[in-house]
Amino acid sequence: MSSKAAKKVNTEPSFSVESSFGLWYTDWDSIYHDTDARRGDHMSDGKNYYSIGKVSTLCNVPIKTLRYYDKIGLLVPEYRKCDSNYRYYTQDQILTLFIIRKLKHLGIPLKDISQIVCKKNASAMGACIRERLYEISNAIDSLNNQYAEGQLLLERLEKGHN
């Protein structure tokens, strides 16, 4: 990751995850180096804002999903045009969206993700991830046991036919 991009991304992160969860910065860095991705709309406060369509494309998240996240308060756009009601997101919110996507991919319910995002606490996120990994591990063990039982049953069945 270039130092310029890292400085730009790390100036106001949504989470204090530089050391623990640097993976998300890597994801953002790959998008950030795309020239079209860096062209956000500049508003009067000097921040870069990205339209809902741009965020949808950059993050591979349907616009319908972004609207739903706004509706439930999970990811509310920082800026909304009064006349058109267009939604605009900041770079920090795009990083938060990456985190939401990663947690969702782990199978963590949106209710839990919402609490994590609201707290903006890396240790709480880590605890939630550890708990989910434990659940996944138990599910894998259970499936392995089922598989072994199924193989044993199949072997017995095939020996019985012969």
Side-chain angles (χ1 to χ4, degrees), residues 112-125:
D112 296 342
I113 293 172
S114 180
Q115 291 174 356
I116 291 169
V117 169
C118 287
K119 290 179 185 175
K120 296 184 181 185
N121 183 327
S123 61
M125 184 182 348

Side-chain angles (χ1 to χ4, degrees), residues 30-63:
S30 65
I31 288 176
Y32 185 79
H33 282 93
D34 178 359
T35 308
D36 290 334
R38 287 189 309 218
R39 284 195 210 119
D41 295 328
H42 294 282
M43 304 298 173
S44 61
D45 60 4
K47 290 183 181 179
N48 281 343
Y49 286 88
Y50 300 85
S51 69
I52 193 170
K54 176 74 76 176
V55 172
S56 172
T57 301
L58 290 174
C59 300
N60 196 27
V61 174
I63 290 174

Side-chain angles (χ1 to χ4, degrees), residues 29-114:
D29 189 51
S30 65
I31 288 176
Y32 185 79
H33 282 93
D34 178 359
T35 308
D36 290 334
R38 287 189 309 218
R39 284 195 210 119
D41 295 328
H42 294 282
M43 304 298 173
S44 61
D45 60 4
K47 290 183 181 179
N48 281 343
Y49 286 88
Y50 300 85
S51 69
I52 193 170
K54 176 74 76 176
V55 172
S56 172
T57 301
L58 290 174
C59 300
N60 196 27
V61 174
I63 290 174
K64 186 176 181 178
T65 300
L66 291 169
R67 288 183 180 138
Y68 178 69
Y69 289 172
D70 180 13
K71 181 180 176 182
I72 65 172
L74 180 60
L75 186 66
V76 178
E78 187 168 306
Y79 178 76
R80 191 183 307 258
K81 281 191 177 177
C82 294
D83 57 340
S84 63
N85 207 25
Y86 284 2
R87 297 164 172 90
Y88 290 92
Y89 299 86
T90 63
Q91 291 175 356
D92 288 344
Q93 289 182 305
I94 292 173
L95 176 61
T96 301
L97 181 58
F98 277 119
I99 292 168
I100 291 168
R101 287 185 58 220
K102 298 278 185 187
L103 294 173
K104 191 169 182 272
H105 184 70
L106 282 174
I108 296 172
L110 284 179
K111 183 179 88 172
D112 296 342
I113 293 172
S114 180

Side-chain angles (χ1 to χ4, degrees), residues 117-149:
V117 169
C118 287
K119 290 179 185 175
K120 296 184 181 185
N121 183 327
S123 61
M125 184 182 348
C128 184
I129 292 169
R130 277 189 289 283
E131 181 180 329
R132 181 62 185 139
L133 290 176
Y134 179 76
E135 292 169 0
I136 291 170
S137 177
N138 286 341
I140 290 170
D141 289 344
S142 176
L143 287 172
N144 281 332
N145 290 337
Q146 288 177 12
Y147 184 82
E149 291 278 333

